[in-house]
């Protein structure tokens, strides 16, 4: 499960280099809103990579088989299937528009030759089947090859259709629609390790679904107070444990994480563990509460740790230690002095996600100015990289970036003031076994690989 | 059928030299690929017709290969196909060719849709019986092995259901292989497969040699029962019922009970629930085992087993999860009939008593609702000491639905406890419910009285019930005064003419002068209700004048119901040949006004001082009783209300491992 991880320290030590591999998406400067990528997710084998966008589309890339003539294409990802997963809708009862934006995609463990994924917008979760077809039946009784009708009274023999090979066709078909269970906006979906249930979380509730049943779900967590004026926190993310089917965590806007055990009771309003770091009174400010809100929570592949992302940092928690995180990595501490303007332009509410590499030895999360950060947990080294078209030559190595944090700006450094806050990297994904990462920068998807040998 | 509607049906009426009997078949074949699912489904359902027309040879060489590759279709089409193929042996040339049906069913056994896979497995099991032993080993067993070692878990889950059908007919060498495959599926990486294996464990055990059951199945059972996934563990518990049947009492105790005990202490409530649910089945086996052994075994051995079983029960009784406990409560009572009087008193009674004191009302209710089983065996007196506090507590529970539930058991309890005990201990409870602040309870209490009167007779009613009901007519609360009327409505028939005329009627008539309009129009309704029971003199001399007076009431509703009652009474009098003046008979609409009492405009002056006070009380009442209907209405199409969760999770979550519905 916790695969080899592609060797030593993929986070960017001296012996390790990330190289450009591919970029997907339009080059134009003016970006259509609908094209903005809203989620990125590798499947369990890493051979498929799915993205969802604000236009409700899902694009699936498939890794090409290696050694196919071209020498330097070490398993590039090419479009495998594109489909419209969600359409804009209107809730007439509440007079609310329901955006088609794909909030999350989660792959199901592969069960047969077809692939399955769950995609969700604010309200509705859909189960999609992506399957291949390479044969076509030919031959009719009532019409001939050109489609002309035969005289029905001159049929002297019955023909059974014959299967002929045809060009590969990839079909995406909606298999189930899980609707009408969420009053608030869905922020997370997570498939259980029992392979038959999954959870969906909105701002105040978490529901448990069976993958084969669409008309019923179980509300397992409900933090809605009787009086909405007493509302002090919301659920920001939720995930199932990778191996223990009864354990789930959810994070809150107050910076805390609750771990629930479904064995003790069917309702998980009471948590089994409560993870919270005591606040440092010296750094308290008007923004403390906002920046401590957790935007993403992810279990490590091993299931021993979990990682949370808040506005300025990413923290790794040992599930056996509730009092404080075992690691805290600063993502862009230099923004602490800029919180006021980030509050004014609403950037302070951006929801950055985070991800583990296959062996849990490194973590990655995004920042502004198309920068993304990697932290090596063993060597404690970190690196800032940039997703840009400038050095998008095949196999070009990525140069580490530095943000000048006051004092004199050195060569190659970027001043905090010149960061572009409109270019943000919210969604990233790491191949489950190898050193391949996918980074969504607005409407472009960058794929980077390690420089091999 | 579909052919007649086909596109080419019209033109060639002139007739040709082709074989026109082929035409409908040709249409059916073409429609196997029609864009309309319904037409494809139609065609698949007539697959036997197509096969018949094609003949066995072409069915084998052309139709089946085509079908094998059509697994892209909609679920319902695939389901129909899987079903058809199960009965296809005759159409491919009989048992000698039954193996030709395996390839299409094999593909169907790997689709993602559980219902389709299950149907394919069912058909495969059916076909396996048609294979000769040689063909079975040549074709069927290899298929099972292929599925069992398939890449995708869909194929491995399907394999689990096939072992038990080929095992008994296979040679010893093959048997060993089959067992080996089953073993490896029991420790498969994916929980889906382990669940499938666990659910077939019992079935497979039944076809195995007893030795293999002990040496192979029991370890598998033990492993599955301690699987990391609780969804697997609970299926293992289910399997233990069939395994237990195969083992001797000694082996059962040594091999299965430790695991079962461990499951009873599982951290996961779902597993404990399953133990509680399967408890009586396992016990039944234990007991029937005991009965078989009675002749040969010493008595203390029997006792031992029972004690063991009840210890297991005791652990569950003290479970912390209310679903587990209430599941146990509902099965545990049934055990008494199996165990007999002595054992019940010695071993089960403590459990009942513990459960009657449970903090969760559902558990107590479950025990009380199943009292009749125990009553048959040991008589209810044994329990009455503990029963009473439990009943009293439930009767005064803060949740009105709990109170409602216990009221419904009252007639049953009364019948079993006898009139004496009832008068002494329970009567006051029944009376207290009449003045409950929730309408639903008062209504149920009223019905309860009627049933009690039916049980204990009119004399009892006259002495115990009627006086206390009638006293309420003077209650300062108009709701309680109305309850008197409702009781009279319910009781009059059971009590008969005498009591009704002598005791009840005067009270009803007196209440016609009540200051609250609601009481007055209910008087009119009551008079209409009890009219048929009264003798005609009373009807003419006492009822009619009062109704006529009410007919002139200032309140619209009172007037309305009085007039309605007058017309009913008048009809009855006319039948009895009393002269009735036409002018007195009002015309009434044919609709039951009860159904839609006229909404009252707030400002409307009805000249009733009391109305203003009465209305808010009534509406509070409505709020109180609202959940009764509200929960269902508010739920909407999507069942996701936490109110219903308690019921649903016990009913549904348990079925997760299989396909739920």
């Amino acid at each position: 499960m916790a695969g080899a991880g592609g060797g030593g320290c993929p986070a960017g030590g001296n012996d390790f280099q990330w190289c450009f591999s591919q970029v997907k998406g339009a080059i134009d400067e003016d970006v259509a809103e609908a094209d903005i990528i809203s989620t990125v997710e590798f499947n369990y084998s890493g051979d498929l990579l799915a993205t969802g966008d604000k236009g409700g589309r899902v694009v699936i890339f498939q890794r090409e088989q290696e050694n196919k003539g071209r020498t330097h294409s070490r398993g590039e990802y090419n479009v495998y299937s594109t489909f419209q997963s969600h359409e804009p809708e209107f809730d007439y009862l509440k007079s609310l528009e329901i955006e088609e934006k794909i909030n999350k995609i989660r792959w199901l463990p592969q069960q047969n030759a077809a692939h399955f994924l769950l995609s969700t917008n604010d309200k509705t979760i859909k189960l999609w089947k992506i399957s291949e077809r390479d044969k076509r039946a030919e031959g009719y009784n009532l019409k001939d090859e050109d489609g002309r009708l035969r005289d029905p009274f001159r049929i002297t023999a019955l023909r059974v259709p014959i299967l002929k090979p045809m060009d590969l066709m990839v079909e995406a078909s909606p298999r189930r629609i899980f609707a009408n269970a969420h009053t608030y906006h869905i922020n997370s979906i997570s498939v259980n390790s029992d392979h038959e249930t999954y959870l969906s979380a909105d701002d105040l509730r978490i529901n448990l679904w069976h993958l084969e049943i669409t008309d019923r779900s179980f509300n397992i967590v409900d933090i809605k107070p009787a009086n909405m004026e007493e509302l002090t926190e919301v659920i920001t993310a939720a995930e199932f444990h990778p191996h223990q089917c009864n354990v789930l965590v959810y994070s809150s806007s107050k910076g805390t994480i609750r771990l629930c055990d479904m064995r003790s009771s069917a309702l998980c309003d009471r948590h089994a563990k409560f993870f919270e770091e005591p606040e440092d009174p010296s750094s308290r400010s008007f923004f403390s509460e906002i920046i401590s809100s957790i935007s993403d929570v992810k279990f490590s592949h091993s299931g021993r740790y979990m990682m949370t992302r808040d506005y300025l940092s990413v923290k790794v928690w040992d599930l056996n230690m509730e009092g404080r995180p075992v690691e805290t990595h600063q993502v862009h501490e230099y923004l602490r002095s800029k919180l006021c303007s980030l509050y004014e332009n609403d950037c302070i509410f951006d929801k950055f996600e985070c991800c583990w590499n296959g062996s849990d030895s490194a973590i990655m999360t995004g920042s502004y100015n198309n920068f993304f950060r990697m932290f090596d947990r063993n060597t404690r080294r970190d690196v800032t990289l940039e997703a840009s078209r400038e050095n998008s030559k095949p196999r070009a190595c990525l140069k580490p970036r530095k943000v000048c944090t006051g004092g004199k700006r050195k060569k190659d450094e970027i001043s905090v003031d010149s960061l572009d806050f409109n270019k943000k990297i919210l969604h990233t994904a790491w191949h489950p076994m190898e050193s391949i990462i996918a980074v969504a920068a607005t409407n472009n998807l960058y794929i980077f690989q390690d420089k091999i040998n | 059928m579909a052919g007649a509607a086909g596109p080419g049906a019209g033109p060639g009426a002139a007739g040709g030299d082709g074989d026109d009997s082929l035409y409908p078949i040709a249409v059916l074949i073409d429609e196997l690929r029609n864009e309309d699912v319904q037409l494809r489904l139609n065609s698949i359902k007539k697959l036997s017709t197509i096969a018949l027309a094609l003949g066995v040879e072409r069915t084998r060489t052309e139709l089946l290969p085509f079908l094998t590759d059509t697994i892209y279709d909609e679920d319902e089409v695939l389901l129909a196909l899987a079903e058809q193929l199960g009965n296809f042996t005759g159409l491919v040339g009989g048992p000698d060719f039954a193996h030709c049906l395996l390839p299409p069913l094999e593909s169907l056994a790997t689709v993602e849709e559980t219902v389709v896979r299950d149907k394919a497995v069912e058909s495969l099991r059916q076909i396996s019986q048609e294979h000769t032993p040689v063909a079975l080993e040549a074709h069927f067993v290899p298929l099972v092995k292929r599925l069992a070692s398939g890449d995708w878990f869909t194929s491995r889950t399907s394999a689990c259901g096939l072992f038990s059908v080929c095992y008994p007919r296979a040679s010893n060498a093959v048997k060993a292989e089959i067992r080996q495959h089953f073993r490896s599926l029991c420790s498969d990486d994916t929980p889906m497969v382990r669940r499938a294996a666990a659910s077939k464990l019992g079935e497979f055990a039944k076809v195995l040699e007893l030795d293999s059951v002990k040496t192979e199945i029991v370890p598998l059972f033990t492993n599955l029962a301690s699987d990391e996934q609780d969804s697997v563990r609970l299926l293992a518990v289910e399997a233990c019922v069939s395994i237990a049947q195969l083992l001797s009492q000694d082996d059962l105790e040594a091999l299965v009970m430790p695991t079962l005990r461990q499951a009873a202490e599982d951290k996961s409530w779902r597993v404990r629930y399953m133990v509680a649910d399967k408890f009586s089945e396992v016990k039944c086996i234990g007991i029937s085992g005991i009965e078989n052994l009675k002749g040969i075994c010493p008595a203390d051995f029997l006792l031992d087993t029972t004690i063991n079983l009840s210890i297991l029960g005791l652990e569950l009784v003290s479970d912390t999860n209310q679903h587990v406990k209430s599941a146990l409560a509902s099965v545990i009572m049934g055990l008494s009939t199996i165990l007999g009087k002595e054992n019940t008193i010695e071993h089960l009674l403590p459990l009942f008593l513990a459960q009657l004191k449970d903090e969760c009302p559902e558990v107590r209710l479950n025990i009380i609702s199943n009292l009749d089983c125990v009553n048959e065996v040991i008589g209810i007196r044994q329990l009455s000491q503990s029963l009473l506090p439990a009943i009293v507590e439930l009767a005064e529970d803060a949740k009105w639905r709990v109170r409602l539930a216990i009221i419904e058991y009252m007639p049953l309890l009364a019948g079993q406890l006898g009139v004496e005990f009832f008068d002494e201990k329970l009567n006051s409870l029944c009376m207290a419910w009449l003045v409950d602040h929730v309408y639903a309870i008062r209504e149920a209490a009223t019905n309860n009285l009627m049933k009690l009167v039916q049980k204990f007779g009119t004399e009892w009613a006259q002495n115990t019930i009627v006086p206390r009901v009638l006293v309420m007519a003077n209650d300062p609360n108009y709701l309680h005064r109305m309850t008197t009327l409702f009781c009279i409505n319910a009781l009059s028939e059971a009590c008969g003419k005498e009591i009704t005329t002598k005791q009840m009627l005067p009270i009803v008539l007196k209440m016609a002068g009540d200051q609250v309009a609601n009481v007055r129009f209910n008087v009119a309704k009551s008079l209409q209700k009890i009219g048929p029971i009264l003798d005609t003199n009373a009807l003419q001399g006492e009822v009619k004048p009062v109704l006529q007076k009410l007919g002139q009431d200032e309140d619209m509703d009172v007037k309305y119901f009085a007039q309605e009652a007058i017309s009913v009474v008048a009809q009855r009098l006319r039948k009895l040949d009393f002269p009735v003046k036409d002018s007195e008979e009002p015309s009434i609409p044919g609709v039951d006004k009860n159904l839609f009492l006229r909404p009252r405009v707030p400002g409307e002056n009805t000249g009733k001082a009391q109305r203003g006070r009465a209305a808010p009380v009534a509406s509070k009442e409505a709020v109180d009783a609202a959940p009764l209907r509200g929960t269902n209405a508010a739920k909407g199409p999507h069942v996701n209300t936490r109110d219903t969760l308690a019921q649903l999770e016990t009913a549904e979550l348990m079925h997760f491992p299989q396909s739920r519905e």
Side-chain angles (χ1 to χ4, degrees):
Chain A
M1 169 109 320
C9 57
N14 290 341
D15 52 342
F16 199 92
Q17 284 274 304
W18 283 98
C19 299
F20 174 85
S21 171
Q22 285 173 283
V23 58
K24 310 281 180 189
I27 309 168
D28 331 350
E29 274 300 299
D30 41 325
V31 178
E33 177 79 5
D35 292 337
I36 296 176
I37 296 172
S38 53
T39 182
V40 187
E41 190 79 9
F42 278 103
N43 76 342
Y44 284 72
S45 69
D47 289 339
L48 297 177
L49 172 63
T51 63
D53 64 27
K54 288 193 171 175
R57 281 161 305 191
V58 170
V59 182
I60 296 168
F61 301 94
Q62 185 187 39
R63 195 176 185 189
E64 295 298 319
Q65 294 302 310
E66 294 184 25
N67 309 327
K68 256 196 188 162
R70 280 177 298 170
T71 45
H72 62 267
S73 78
R74 208 164 45 81
E76 283 191 349
Y77 284 82
N78 290 322
V79 176
Y80 180 61
S81 174
T82 304
F83 57 93
Q84 188 74 34
S85 169
H86 287 71
E87 302 273 0
E89 283 176 85
F90 193 79
D91 182 338
Y92 293 97
L93 286 178
K94 297 190 185 119
S95 264
L96 277 178
E97 273 181 66
I98 302 168
E99 278 183 70
E100 66 273 34
K101 178 190 161 212
I102 308 292
N103 289 346
K104 279 284 183 313
I105 289 176
R106 286 289 177 268
W107 290 91
L108 264 55
Q110 200 173 359
Q111 48 183 336
N112 59 12
H115 298 270
F116 292 82
L117 62 79
L118 289 169
S119 64
T120 185
N121 67 353
D122 286 339
K123 299 284 177 191
T124 306
I125 305 151
K126 296 184 181 181
L127 173 67
W128 290 89
K129 174 186 182 177
I130 295 102
S131 55
E132 294 182 358
R133 183 183 290 202
D134 60 356
K135 283 188 196 132
R136 185 161 55 97
E138 279 183 3
Y140 281 96
N141 284 296
L142 300 182
K143 46 190 178 187
D144 58 24
E145 276 67 32
D146 308 324
R148 275 185 308 232
L149 288 179
R150 289 203 177 99
D151 180 350
F153 290 94
R154 287 183 196 285
I155 293 171
T156 51
L158 294 173
R159 291 157 207 243
V160 176
I162 302 158
L163 291 159
K164 294 266 173 68
M166 65 167 188
D167 288 343
L168 182 72
M169 202 166 85
V170 181
E171 291 177 319
S173 46
R175 298 291 298 179
R176 307 241 194 279
I177 294 172
F178 306 89
N180 304 327
H182 284 279
T183 313
Y184 307 95
H185 291 179
I186 299 174
N187 53 45
S188 312
I189 43 178
S190 173
V191 181
N192 192 319
S193 61
D194 67 10
H195 294 189
E196 65 178 358
T197 55
Y198 74 91
L199 67 75
S200 58
D202 66 24
D203 296 334
L204 295 177
R205 298 192 179 103
I206 300 178
N207 290 336
L208 180 67
W209 300 84
H210 190 284
L211 280 163
E212 294 191 350
I213 294 159
T214 57
D215 62 350
R216 183 173 304 160
S217 71
F218 298 97
N219 178 227
I220 49 174
V221 174
D222 186 353
I223 63 163
K224 185 171 183 248
N227 177 3
M228 277 300 259
E229 280 167 21
E230 289 160 18
L231 184 71
T232 55
E233 62 181 328
V234 295
I235 298 170
T236 53
E239 196 180 41
F240 267 123
H241 190 278
H243 317 304
Q244 292 167 10
C245 62
N246 39 267
V247 172
L248 66 102
V249 292
Y250 66 91
S251 60
S252 90
S253 55
K254 276 189 165 170
T256 59
I257 310 111
R258 288 175 178 82
L259 182 142
C260 302
D261 187 343
M262 297 199 295
R263 286 177 302 186
S264 47
S265 73
L267 296 182
C268 298
D269 291 340
R270 272 171 302 166
H271 50 262
K273 288 187 179 181
F274 183 72
F275 298 86
E276 184 179 31
E277 186 174 31
E279 194 186 18
D280 177 6
S282 64
S283 64
R284 212 186 138 67
S285 75
F286 172 73
F287 303 107
S288 297
E289 200 162 315
I290 302 175
I291 61 170
S292 67
S293 174
I294 292 173
S295 52
D296 196 16
V297 57
K298 291 266 168 64
F299 276 108
S300 66
H301 294 89
S302 68
R304 163 103 192 253
Y305 301 99
M306 65 181 169
M307 159 167 64
T308 57
R309 171 72 208 261
D310 52 48
Y311 191 61
L312 293 180
S313 69
V314 55
K315 292 170 182 164
V316 177
W317 303 75
D318 188 324
L319 290 193
N320 301 317
M321 191 163 88
E322 297 168 58
R324 59 186 168 82
V326 285
E327 294 165 30
T328 301
H329 304 280
Q330 301 305 335
V331 177
H332 36 216
E333 187 62 18
Y334 45 78
L335 293 182
R336 197 175 279 280
S337 57
K338 296 238 142 237
L339 290 176
C340 219
S341 50
L342 290 164
Y343 179 78
E344 272 158 21
N345 63 13
D346 271 353
C347 281
I348 201 166
F349 300 107
D350 283 335
K351 295 192 79 176
F352 291 98
E353 291 172 10
C354 50
C355 63
W356 299 85
N357 74 339
S359 59
D360 298 336
S361 63
I363 54 188
M364 167 169 62
T365 189
S367 176
Y368 293 103
N369 204 43
N370 274 358
F371 287 173
F372 58 98
R373 301 268 287 149
M374 283 192 188
F375 305 93
D376 189 303
R377 299 181 57 213
N378 298 324
T379 62
R380 293 271 161 181
R381 273 190 288 220
D382 64 275
V383 66
T384 305
L385 299 171
E386 183 183 4
S388 87
R389 284 193 181 265
E390 276 163 35
N391 51 0
S392 61
K393 278 196 268 341
R395 311 192 78 193
C397 288
L398 296 189
K399 266 197 286 180
R401 299 295 187 153
K402 281 239 161 55
V403 177
C404 156
T405 53
K408 260 197 191 152
R409 189 163 71 91
K410 296 193 200 102
K411 202 182 148 211
D412 289 342
E413 281 191 348
I414 303 124
S415 129
V416 178
D417 297 317
S418 58
L419 292 175
D420 185 345
F421 292 105
N422 288 319
K423 292 181 175 173
K424 41 192 134 190
I425 289 181
L426 302 175
H427 315 283
T428 59
W430 206 313
H431 189 288
M433 267 87 79
E434 295 177 40
S435 294
I436 299 174
I437 53 171
V439 175
T442 320
N443 62 332
N444 288 131
L445 180 72
Y446 288 85
I447 297 171
F448 303 108
Q449 304 195 348
D450 60 335
K451 178 178 190 168
I452 208 96
N453 311 323
Chain B
M1 179 206 103
D17 43 6
D19 183 355
D20 54 350
S21 69
L22 288 181
Y23 178 73
I25 309 292
V27 172
L28 279 181
I29 294 178
D30 283 3
E31 284 183 352
L32 284 173
R33 286 186 288 148
N34 198 294
E35 286 191 3
D36 184 343
V37 184
Q38 210 48 48
L39 291 180
R40 290 205 301 276
L41 194 59
N42 255 332
S43 261
I44 285 286
K45 286 185 173 160
K46 295 206 168 58
L47 207 55
S48 52
T49 314
I50 298 176
L52 212 56
L54 288 171
V56 293
E57 175 85 31
R58 290 191 69 194
T59 300
R60 289 199 302 266
T61 55
E62 293 179 48
L63 186 61
L64 289 180
F66 167 67
L67 292 174
T68 306
D69 278 300
T70 43
I71 54 160
Y72 303 112
D73 215 322
E74 303 283 332
D75 304 334
E76 44 186 330
V77 179
L78 297 182
L79 184 66
L81 177 58
E83 190 171 3
Q84 290 286 314
L85 291 176
N87 302 310
F88 238 56
T89 312
L91 297 162
V92 292
D96 288 345
F97 295 96
H99 59 87
C100 297
L101 296 170
L102 300 182
L105 284 171
E106 186 176 349
S107 342
L108 288 169
T110 61
V111 300
E112 66 276 3
E113 206 58 47
T114 316
V115 279
V116 177
R117 271 197 330 262
D118 288 351
K119 188 56 86 179
V121 168
E122 197 183 313
S123 289
L124 279 170
R125 289 168 69 113
Q126 213 170 319
I127 287 171
S128 74
Q129 304 305 325
E130 283 152 357
H131 281 67
T132 59
V134 179
L136 194 79
E137 284 202 13
H139 302 285
F140 198 84
V141 173
L143 163 114
V144 176
K145 288 193 213 157
R146 264 199 311 279
L147 286 173
S149 49
D151 282 343
W152 312 123
F153 71 71
T154 46
S155 87
R156 300 200 298 275
T157 51
S158 292
C160 292
L162 297 172
F163 292 111
S164 65
V165 289
C166 52
Y167 189 82
R169 301 173 62 203
S171 65
N172 281 341
V174 175
K175 275 184 176 175
E177 272 186 80
I178 293 176
R179 288 201 304 272
Q180 173 56 40
H181 274 288
F182 191 80
R183 269 205 304 276
S184 60
L185 290 183
C186 282
S187 51
D188 197 276
D189 285 342
T190 53
M192 283 293 194
V193 178
R194 293 202 303 277
R195 273 199 293 276
S199 68
K200 300 293 178 196
L201 188 65
E203 176 190 297
F204 189 51
K206 282 184 188 161
V207 299
L208 249 59
E209 299 77 10
L210 188 58
D211 268 354
S212 307
V213 172
K214 281 194 227 170
T215 57
E216 297 192 33
I217 294 292
V218 168
L220 290 178
F221 163 69
T222 314
N223 277 340
L224 289 170
S226 49
D227 197 278
E228 59 171 13
Q229 295 263 336
D230 55 2
S231 55
V232 178
R233 293 200 299 276
L234 65 90
L235 284 174
V237 170
E238 213 173 0
C240 107
V241 177
S242 349
I243 297 173
Q245 279 172 339
L246 304 168
L247 298 174
S248 69
Q249 203 62 46
D250 275 339
D251 290 334
L252 183 66
E253 178 55 39
L255 302 173
V256 176
M257 290 312 274
T259 312
L260 200 59
R261 268 187 216 112
Q262 177 196 322
E265 287 168 14
D266 200 287
K267 265 194 169 180
S268 168
W269 68 268
R270 289 164 70 189
V271 176
R272 298 196 306 270
Y273 176 93
M274 197 54 128
V275 176
D277 198 41
K278 294 288 157 198
F279 187 63
S280 67
E281 280 179 60
V282 178
K283 281 205 164 184
C284 287
I285 295 150
I287 304 312
S288 64
I290 293 172
E291 273 164 9
N292 293 337
L293 292 167
K294 253 182 192 163
I296 2 171
C297 288
D300 56 333
F301 169 75
L302 293 182
L303 203 61
D304 247 26
T305 321
T306 345
I307 290 169
N308 266 327
L309 292 168
S310 44
I311 287 171
L312 185 58
L314 208 55
E315 278 160 15
L316 288 169
V317 170
S318 50
D319 201 289
T320 48
N321 187 293
Q322 64 165 25
H323 306 304
V324 176
K325 286 188 295 189
S326 61
L328 185 68
S330 62
V331 298
I332 202 169
M333 300 298 276
L335 285 175
S336 54
T337 41
I338 311 164
L339 275 171
K341 188 172 178 180
E342 254 171 61
N343 284 327
T344 303
I345 293 173
E346 189 164 347
H347 302 294
L348 291 183
L349 204 54
L351 303 187
F352 298 155
L353 298 180
Q355 294 211 313
L356 276 173
K357 294 192 188 101
D358 198 281
E359 58 186 16
C360 166
E362 240 175 85
V363 175
R364 281 174 274 149
L365 271 177
N366 267 342
I367 286 288
I368 290 174
S369 64
N370 288 308
L371 271 179
D372 47 338
C373 318
V374 182
N375 192 28
E376 282 169 26
V377 183
I378 57 168
I380 211 161
R381 290 276 164 189
Q382 294 274 3
L383 279 176
S384 54
Q385 285 290 316
S386 317
L387 205 50
L388 197 65
I391 294 172
V392 172
E393 209 175 303
L394 287 170
E396 288 159 0
D397 197 284
K399 293 199 187 79
W400 66 267
R401 263 184 270 204
V402 174
R403 300 199 299 273
L404 187 64
I406 189 72
I407 291 176
E408 274 158 19
Y409 295 124
M410 268 302 156
L412 175 79
L413 286 168
Q416 285 168 356
L417 292 165
V419 73
E420 218 171 286
F421 185 90
F422 183 86
D423 277 349
E424 197 178 316
K425 316 275 188 189
L426 298 179
N427 197 13
S428 52
L429 281 180
C430 291
M431 288 302 161
W433 283 322
L434 286 175
V435 292
D436 198 285
H437 63 276
V438 176
Y439 177 75
I441 298 295
R442 297 199 300 272
E443 192 185 27
T446 312
N447 288 329
N448 175 41
L449 285 186
M450 184 179 70
K451 287 180 191 154
L452 290 173
V453 172
Q454 283 166 358
K455 241 185 187 100
F456 293 150
T458 48
E459 200 179 317
W460 175 79
Q462 195 175 0
N463 294 333
T464 5
I465 301 284
V466 175
R468 299 181 67 169
V469 167
L470 295 183
V471 162
M472 289 198 317
N474 301 319
D475 198 288
N477 186 334
Y478 86 102
L479 291 170
H480 298 168
R481 297 201 295 278
M482 289 207 315
T483 307
T484 303
L485 291 172
F486 297 145
C487 286
I488 289 174
N489 292 349
L491 293 175
S492 59
E493 206 167 321
C495 289
K497 196 179 205 171
E498 171 117 13
I499 298 175
T500 309
T501 315
K502 290 216 173 120
Q503 299 194 5
M504 296 178 177
L505 184 61
I507 301 292
V508 178
L509 294 175
K510 204 184 101 194
M511 290 169 83
D514 200 287
Q515 51 190 350
V516 178
N518 298 43
V519 178
R520 293 201 302 277
F521 75 67
N522 271 300
V523 167
K525 283 160 92 175
S526 286
L527 287 173
Q528 183 183 335
K529 180 92 203 304
I530 64 173
I533 301 158
L534 299 170
D535 61 41
T536 41
N537 285 330
L539 213 52
Q540 178 72 13
E542 301 178 56
V543 175
K544 225 173 136 193
V546 170
L547 282 177
Q548 274 162 352
K549 187 173 158 245
L550 288 174
Q552 309 299 318
D553 200 279
E554 58 191 6
D555 184 89
M556 297 209 33
D557 295 323
V558 178
K559 220 186 275 183
Y560 171 84
F561 286 108
Q563 283 169 359
E564 198 179 59
I566 288 171
S567 78
V568 173
V569 169
Q571 265 176 13
R572 183 169 147 74
L573 286 175
R574 192 182 299 147
K575 266 187 211 153
L576 300 167
D577 260 0
F578 269 81
V580 177
K581 274 181 269 166
D582 274 339
S583 60
E584 284 174 12
E585 193 177 356
S587 63
I588 50 149
V591 200
D592 181 7
K593 209 179 169 190
N594 271 326
L595 291 176
F596 40 64
L597 278 175
R598 198 169 59 87
R600 203 167 284 281
V601 184
E604 193 178 3
N605 184 12
T606 54
K608 281 172 296 182
Q610 283 294 328
R611 203 47 174 271
R613 193 155 57 99
V617 182
S619 64
K620 179 175 169 279
E621 188 74 0
V623 172
D624 199 4
L628 183 65
R629 279 154 285 129
T631 37
N632 285 327
K635 224 181 293 166
H638 187 90
V639 188
N640 191 18
T641 320
R642 288 167 74 91
D643 281 357
T644 55
L645 188 90
Q647 302 141 29
L648 285 178
E649 72 186 356
T650 48
E652 299 302 332
L653 274 179
M654 302 313 304
H655 299 301
F656 265 11
Q658 302 297 301
S659 67
R660 295 189 315 172
E661 297 173 359

